[in-house]
Amino acid sequence: MSTTVMDSGALEAFVVRAKAATYAGGGGKIPAVRVSSHDLEYREGDLIYRDSYFGGTDFLGQETVHLGDRPLWGMNYYGYILSDDIDAGVAGRVVTASLSALYREGRFLGGFRHTVDGLTYTDETTGDVTRFLGVEHITTASGIRAYELRYHGGRVLD
């Protein structure tokens, strides 16, 4: 693997493993890197994935992949509760269960729908690991969109 370019398939596979092991898997917690941040990390050799976010009910974050000290990939996201029909704890449980199911398919992008306790998680994405834009949301059984997260990202090239 070149130190300047990583194959898109290998990059996506690494991101999926890292996401599954950290937020969705409940692991990888490291001390806060910035004041009041929540930080997660996953490593495979010289590849390093980091997820750093702020907040809880409404939250903002960034994920990055580095090969040594070189940034290769990143994603920014902002999530928020839209309705009193759910709270942050319920949204978090639905999201982690749904993302775990998505990651078991070996991917983190693309159309996906999953139901947990009567709440429907939906992910809609355009693009691929090199450049993408998407939204995930949770809809109640009565059709109310109660949670939403918007994200975008892709390769980082010098």
Side-chain angles (χ1 to χ4, degrees), residues 5-157:
V5 177
M6 182 178 185
D7 171 80
S8 295
L11 174 60
E12 184 170 11
F14 173 75
V15 170
V16 169
R17 289 191 304 275
K19 286 173 165 285
T22 54
Y23 176 74
K29 292 181 177 121
I30 61 171
V33 174
R34 297 173 285 181
V35 175
S36 299
S37 67
H38 305 275
D39 295 279
L40 308 170
E41 185 176 274
Y42 176 82
R43 292 175 178 256
E44 286 182 9
D46 290 337
L47 283 171
I48 305 163
Y49 164 91
R50 290 190 182 101
D51 181 2
S52 183
Y53 65 95
F54 298 90
T57 300
D58 291 0
F59 55 96
L60 172 74
Q62 179 181 54
E63 299 173 22
T64 59
V65 172
H66 284 76
L67 180 60
D69 62 356
R70 296 186 62 120
L72 297 179
W73 177 90
M75 180 178 98
N76 297 100
Y77 58 88
Y78 179 63
Y80 39 90
I81 301 294
L82 294 167
S83 164
D84 290 337
D85 292 299
I86 65 172
D87 61 22
V90 171
R93 284 190 296 281
V94 171
V95 169
T96 55
S98 299
L99 290 177
S100 293
L102 176 62
Y103 302 155
R104 283 192 296 274
E105 293 183 2
R107 63 192 182 96
F108 74 98
L109 297 171
F112 185 74
R113 181 167 285 176
H114 188 253
T115 301
V116 177
D117 298 330
L119 298 168
T120 302
Y121 169 93
T122 304
D123 181 79
E124 302 162 342
T125 309
T126 58
D128 62 24
V129 70
T130 63
R131 189 173 296 134
F132 57 90
L133 176 67
V135 61
E136 70 177 18
H137 55 86
I138 298 172
T139 307
T140 66
S142 60
I144 295 172
R145 188 177 285 203
Y147 159 85
E148 185 172 272
L149 177 138
R150 296 191 170 269
Y151 61 93
H152 64 272
R155 278 205 186 274
V156 176
L157 300 172

